[in-house]
Amino acid sequence: MIHERTLQSLEFPKVLEYLAYGCLSEAGKDAALALRPLSTLPEVLEAARLFDQARTWASAARLHGENSFAMVAFPDVRPLLEQTQKTTPRLDLEDFWALREMLRLATRAVASLRHNTAQQQWPDLLMLAESFALPQQITSALNRCIADDGSLKDESSPELYLARTELRRLHQSCMRKVKEYAIQYNMLAYLQDEFMTLASDRYVLPLKANFKGRMQGIIHDWSQTGETCYFEPMFLVEINNTLQELKRQEREEELKVVQYLTSLLLAEAPGVRAGFALLCTLDVLFAKIRLADRYDGHCVTVLGGIMDEELAAKPDVLELKGARHPLLLLAALKAKKAPESVHPLDILLRKGERGLIISGGNAGGKTVCLKTLGLVAAMTFAGLPVPVAKGSFLPFWQRIDAFIGDEQSLDDHVSTFTAQIQHLAKSWKYMDKNTLVLLDEFGAGTDPAQGAALAQGLLDELLDRDAYVLASTHFPALKAYALTREKARAASVLFDPNTKKPLFRLAYDQVGASQALDVAREHGLPESILRRAEHYLLLDGEDASAVMARLNSLAVQREQELADLQHELAKQKKQKEHLHNKFEQERQKLHEQVRARSAELMQAWKEGKATHKQALKEMSRLRAELLPAKDEPTSPALQASDLALGQQVLHRPFGKKALIMEIDGRKNKARIDMNGVCLWANIADLEESGAAAPVRTASTARLSPDKGSLLTLDLRGKRADIALSDLEQFLDKALLAGMDSVEIVHGRGTGVLRKEIHAFLRRFPSVREFATAPEDRGGDGMTIAVFR
């Protein structure tokens, strides 16, 4: 729990006012102003997830026409819901119109969350929408009965439809009779207007006052000027009596419809409340998104939940990078200033550290640093986005106590120092390892020696309790304490060595001078006073300004070097991302080109513009072109002298291992065996793959390089069924390799195997022709098959 006093000190309500300004409904504004930091870590993590998921959903919902959703203003139905708690609720048509508008928006929101194709990206929001059932009956009834202008539709009930139909018929009849009567008795000169009107809920004629005695009838009213009287002729009396009866019936039927709608509302009141609560939640979430968009904010990671390995391996326990004070940044943006006008701060605590003690000159940003951490933490625990760099994280604190600003009260006879002590005494028993304590120059309102001692004692106790402390000070004793105390870390606000103006940056592991005289000179204090002050400092022997100025100068130089290194690192990272994106684009482009070419080849084959063999041959050529560009050999090109019979190599175009069967050094080619398929390959397409293996002597594909055929299959000594199976696989591989013809060795023998092979080749669709080989190449012991 964070006390309201602390939230006021950190100006948390002002942030809520900015948030409420972004809400579109009065209920949403009230919900935004009522936000407070959540008390448990699971609630904080859930709030952060809801914000991130709402941001994703808001972007996706704008892109899907059918299930699109945009948050708009919706009526406040809280008074209506309060009426449902009463024994006899009193509701009117305006209430039901507001309810209809609210339920319509809630229905669209739930539909967008449930039916969007990207719904898996917002599971918590989806669970919120599915945690209740929308009131279907009252929603349907309101859409049927309530018109856009807030009146009841004629179709609300059959009886109401009949009554209103009769009223319209009566009105038309009355208009006709009045016109006929006026023409018949030449009354147009007596009337102020040609049209009849209503007075006292009866049809009357606007008669000129000086003609009121010319006709028989009843005067119901006069105009403000007295020149017109509203006159009911006798022939309209009966019609008006009928009109009153019909209007009475209409009111009764309208009352029945209202009572019916009220009964439906009472029956489905829980669903109505849930739908209204969902819209209020979404309104606040969309306001958070608008706030985040204003200053490029996001929810900070809170330690204690599920962390990724990178976060768990970090050496820090608190890391706010590039943190800007939210209110200062919002004020700057409101004044149309650049965000860079509000300087970012890096607030860091390493593992084992619990306290950060900041020293340095006045107006250097020490108090702003304390308030930035406190306000960012309070906003984070309330599920609000904050203006910090990505990668920042915070511990979870159940309590934050801030001792900031002047807390004196003349009415209560309390000084600043006394008020701080009273606040500390009341809060002391609650301070533990889950507490953040912000001390702005604690102890400065009393004797410097005693105040410094009191501050050191307080810091000792807090650090022993493992509480987190962020303190600012001008006490020399506390500066030394920060450099020597275990669990504590020193930091200093930096000033420009030349202009003595603050840089609003922190330098760690060093202390800074207060620079009171420089600040006084900057703000116009007379030089005579400053000279006397410098004189007294020299007399006291306490002027260490030169040493502190040197430390400040070195720190500024170091921070600049670190900034340059970070800039260079960011530049290298950006360049790496650019190259990666360029590679991915080129890879995707090449992939699309290959797919397009493959589709063209497939279409040409289907339309008969290319044979099966031609398509396969073109695909093989395309693959051979792409693979070397994708995977260039890292080893030097092989020569014929580098190869040996039986050596295992890799054939790069096919990406398969093979054995060297023969070597032709003159043509720089080698005959290779790839799992039974033999072919002549360029040695440049080969690379070393392993040690030499024995040359296979079993029945495999063989090649005679000077005979014209590129592939040879030896089937001698095999049974017909096995030979035909091997032949089918061999022909498929030859087609894939883009061969024009093959040689099949079957031997002479009895001729049975040759007949079976010839019969098979006649049925094989890709074989154009076949014949036995010439006598000089094997005669009828070998068959040559030519592909289509």
Side-chain angles (χ1 to χ4, degrees):
M1 168 184 169
I2 300 179
H3 198 275
E4 196 67 28
R5 174 188 173 281
T6 296
L7 295 177
Q8 291 292 338
S9 297
L10 298 174
E11 300 179 282
F12 182 75
K14 289 186 178 180
V15 176
L16 298 184
E17 291 176 7
Y18 279 99
L19 178 67
Y21 181 77
C23 292
L24 301 178
S25 67
E26 289 301 320
K29 286 180 170 63
D30 292 342
L33 293 173
L35 274 181
R36 289 298 180 270
L38 300 165
S39 56
T40 64
L41 179 60
E43 290 176 322
V44 172
L45 297 177
E46 181 183 7
R49 289 196 305 271
L50 282 175
F51 169 77
D52 291 335
Q53 293 172 19
R55 208 170 192 177
T56 304
W57 172 53
S59 299
R62 288 193 292 265
L63 302 176
H64 292 79
E66 183 178 352
N67 295 309
S68 61
F69 178 79
M71 175 58 68
V72 296
F74 57 91
D76 188 355
V77 297
R78 285 176 292 183
L80 179 148
L81 294 175
E82 290 175 1
Q83 284 290 324
T84 62
Q85 303 292 328
K86 298 181 179 179
T87 306
T88 55
R90 302 175 64 117
L91 301 173
D92 55 24
L93 292 179
E94 186 177 349
D95 292 328
F96 285 114
W97 176 86
L99 181 61
R100 187 197 74 163
E101 294 300 299
M102 185 275 291
L103 289 176
R104 279 183 173 182
L105 187 61
T107 302
R108 291 201 301 271
V110 171
S112 178
L113 286 168
R114 288 179 177 175
H115 304 304
N116 197 296
T117 55
Q119 63 173 256
Q120 67 276 3
Q121 298 182 35
W122 46 82
D124 293 275
L125 269 180
L126 185 61
M127 185 181 300
L128 189 66
E130 293 181 340
S131 62
F132 67 96
L134 281 171
Q136 300 294 337
Q137 290 185 337
I138 183 64
T139 302
S140 176
L142 290 172
N143 289 330
R144 185 182 73 253
C145 298
I146 304 298
D148 291 338
D149 60 358
S151 63
L152 278 179
K153 295 180 180 179
D154 294 350
E155 300 81 8
S156 299
S157 71
E159 295 79 7
L160 180 61
Y161 180 81
L162 290 175
R164 288 184 174 177
T165 301
E166 187 63 23
L167 277 171
R168 284 191 288 271
R169 186 197 63 77
L170 183 66
H171 176 76
Q172 293 172 355
S173 174
C174 187
M175 288 287 292
R176 186 177 65 256
K177 287 186 177 181
V178 166
K179 187 175 180 179
E180 292 173 353
Y181 185 82
I183 294 174
Q184 181 180 357
Y185 293 98
N186 196 22
M187 290 179 56
L188 294 177
Y190 305 160
L191 301 178
Q192 289 282 19
D193 200 335
E194 295 183 2
F195 303 100
M196 68 178 180
T197 184
L198 284 172
S200 302
D201 209 20
R202 297 178 72 87
Y203 287 125
V204 295
L205 298 177
L207 188 68
K208 294 178 181 179
N210 53 342
F211 293 105
K212 65 180 186 298
R214 301 287 184 92
M215 302 172 57
Q216 290 186 348
I218 303 169
I219 295 176
H220 287 275
D221 201 356
W222 293 81
S223 67
Q224 291 183 353
T225 61
E227 295 181 357
T228 304
C229 63
Y230 296 101
F231 179 76
E232 180 183 3
M234 294 304 296
F235 76 90
L236 285 180
V237 172
E238 187 64 28
I239 294 176
N240 278 324
N241 291 339
T242 305
L243 173 69
Q244 296 304 313
E245 178 64 22
L246 289 174
K247 284 189 171 293
R248 183 188 63 78
Q249 293 179 14
E250 181 187 30
R251 287 191 294 270
E252 289 178 354
E253 296 305 325
E254 287 178 346
L255 180 60
K256 290 179 182 179
V257 173
V258 170
Q259 291 173 343
Y260 170 71
L261 293 176
T262 302
S263 65
L264 291 180
L265 172 61
L266 293 175
E268 296 185 303
V272 173
R273 291 192 186 91
F276 181 66
L278 174 66
L279 285 184
C280 292
T281 300
L282 294 179
D283 196 10
V284 174
L285 284 173
F286 275 79
K288 290 180 182 181
I289 295 172
R290 296 185 188 97
L291 182 65
D293 291 341
R294 290 186 69 178
Y295 52 44
D296 191 24
H298 60 275
C299 284
V300 175
T301 301
V302 180
L303 299 184
I306 300 176
M307 296 182 292
D308 57 28
E309 295 180 0
E310 181 180 356
L311 192 60
K314 281 186 175 289
D316 302 327
V317 292
L318 163 61
E319 185 174 317
L320 285 186
K321 298 187 295 185
R324 291 180 168 89
H325 191 284
L327 288 175
L328 293 180
L329 184 54
L330 287 169
L333 294 173
K334 188 176 181 180
K336 297 184 179 180
K337 295 181 181 179
E340 292 75 16
S341 61
V342 179
H343 299 275
L345 291 169
D346 292 340
I347 304 175
L348 310 171
L349 278 180
R350 297 169 297 200
K351 286 185 178 179
E353 295 174 344
R354 287 295 182 271
L356 182 63
I357 301 173
I358 306 171
S359 58
N362 298 88
K366 298 188 298 297
T367 302
V368 171
C369 182
L370 269 64
K371 285 190 171 183
T372 299
L373 175 60
L375 186 55
V376 165
M379 291 175 65
T380 298
F381 300 155
L384 294 173
V386 291
V388 301
K390 292 184 178 180
S392 301
F393 54 88
L394 285 171
F396 175 66
W397 295 307
Q398 293 179 335
R399 183 181 180 89
I400 299 177
D401 285 285
F403 301 86
I404 299 174
D406 189 357
E407 301 184 50
Q408 67 175 334
S409 172
L410 295 178
D411 294 336
D412 297 333
H413 306 286
V414 175
S415 66
T416 299
F417 177 73
T418 306
Q420 286 187 341
I421 295 300
Q422 288 179 350
H423 177 203
L424 177 62
K426 293 177 182 177
S427 308
W428 183 250
K429 62 182 178 180
Y430 302 109
M431 295 181 180
D432 56 18
K433 64 181 181 179
N434 296 316
T435 303
L436 170 65
V437 182
L438 304 172
L439 301 172
D440 186 24
E441 299 184 24
F442 184 82
T446 186
D447 176 78
Q450 295 185 27
L454 185 61
Q456 290 180 76
L458 173 59
L459 288 171
D460 274 337
E461 285 293 321
L462 289 173
L463 293 177
D464 288 344
R465 293 186 177 191
D466 273 342
Y468 289 81
V469 187
L470 200 66
S472 65
T473 186
H474 290 286
F475 292 143
L478 275 183
K479 296 177 185 179
Y481 177 91
L483 292 171
T484 58
R485 177 62 160 87
E486 187 182 359
K487 295 185 180 181
R489 188 178 191 184
S492 170
V493 291
L494 296 178
F495 283 74
D496 189 296
N498 300 319
T499 64
K500 303 299 182 183
K501 291 185 178 180
L503 298 175
F504 303 105
R505 287 156 59 188
L506 287 180
Y508 284 87
D509 303 317
Q510 75 169 53
V511 296
S514 296
Q515 297 188 354
L517 301 185
D518 292 330
V519 174
R521 182 176 287 109
E522 176 70 22
H523 288 78
L525 198 66
E527 193 64 30
S528 59
I529 298 176
L530 297 173
R531 284 198 300 270
R532 288 179 181 272
E534 291 171 348
H535 175 70
Y536 285 119
L537 277 176
L538 291 173
L539 288 177
D540 294 339
E542 296 182 359
D543 187 10
S545 58
V547 176
M548 291 298 185
R550 177 59 178 162
L551 287 175
N552 178 78
S553 178
L554 291 173
V556 171
Q557 182 180 352
R558 184 187 67 175
E559 290 297 315
Q560 186 59 47
E561 291 173 352
L562 288 174
D564 292 342
L565 287 173
Q566 290 177 352
H567 176 73
E568 185 63 27
L569 182 62
K571 182 179 177 182
Q572 296 292 336
K573 184 178 180 181
K574 185 177 180 180
Q575 185 178 6
K576 180 181 178 182
E577 291 177 354
H578 173 72
L579 292 174
H580 176 73
N581 292 336
K582 184 178 179 181
F583 168 76
E584 286 298 322
Q585 290 174 1
E586 291 180 353
R587 185 185 67 82
Q588 185 65 23
K589 181 179 179 181
L590 181 62
H591 179 68
E592 293 297 330
Q593 290 176 349
V594 172
R595 288 189 61 183
R597 182 58 181 152
S598 300
E600 290 176 4
L601 290 173
M602 180 61 71
Q603 186 66 25
W605 176 72
K606 288 182 178 179
E607 294 176 356
K609 297 179 181 179
T611 64
H612 182 65
K613 177 193 166 191
Q614 289 173 334
L616 291 174
K617 195 172 182 180
E618 181 63 19
M619 287 294 294
S620 177
R621 184 192 63 78
L622 185 62
R623 181 181 181 187
E625 287 181 359
L626 292 176
L627 283 178
K630 183 180 177 181
D631 186 16
E632 293 293 339
T634 56
S635 58
L638 292 176
Q639 302 296 326
S641 58
D642 299 326
L643 301 177
L645 294 179
Q647 180 179 348
Q648 191 177 62
V649 293
L650 177 66
H651 186 243
R652 283 197 303 272
F654 287 176
K656 294 185 177 181
K657 293 181 180 181
L659 295 177
I660 300 294
M661 306 302 293
E662 293 183 27
I663 302 172
D664 188 341
R666 183 173 58 85
K667 294 183 179 181
N668 203 29
K669 290 187 176 184
R671 186 166 66 90
I672 59 175
D673 176 9
M674 292 188 297
N675 296 326
V677 177
C678 292
L679 60 91
W680 282 92
N682 293 324
I683 295 179
D685 292 337
L686 306 178
E687 67 178 46
E688 293 184 0
S689 176
V695 179
R696 294 177 57 179
T697 57
S699 172
T700 59
R702 296 181 179 177
L703 181 66
S704 178
D706 56 345
K707 300 298 182 181
S709 295
L710 294 179
L711 290 177
T712 303
L713 177 66
D714 191 347
L715 299 176
R716 288 176 294 183
K718 293 188 176 184
R719 293 204 325 257
D721 55 345
I722 297 176
L724 293 180
S725 177
D726 291 350
L727 177 59
E728 184 177 14
Q729 295 179 19
F730 170 73
L731 294 176
D732 289 340
K733 290 178 181 179
L735 286 168
L736 289 174
M739 300 298 128
D740 296 323
S741 60
V742 293
E743 295 176 344
I744 307 166
V745 180
H746 41 67
R748 288 186 170 86
T750 61
V752 175
L753 183 58
R754 181 178 67 250
K755 292 179 182 179
E756 292 289 339
I757 290 173
H758 286 185
F760 179 83
L761 292 175
R762 290 190 189 94
R763 298 191 302 269
F764 198 80
S766 296
V767 174
R768 187 182 68 194
E769 59 183 2
F770 62 90
T772 55
E775 283 300 327
D776 60 339
R777 294 176 59 185
D780 57 2
M782 181 173 70
T783 298
I784 299 176
V786 180
F787 294 126
R788 296 183 185 277

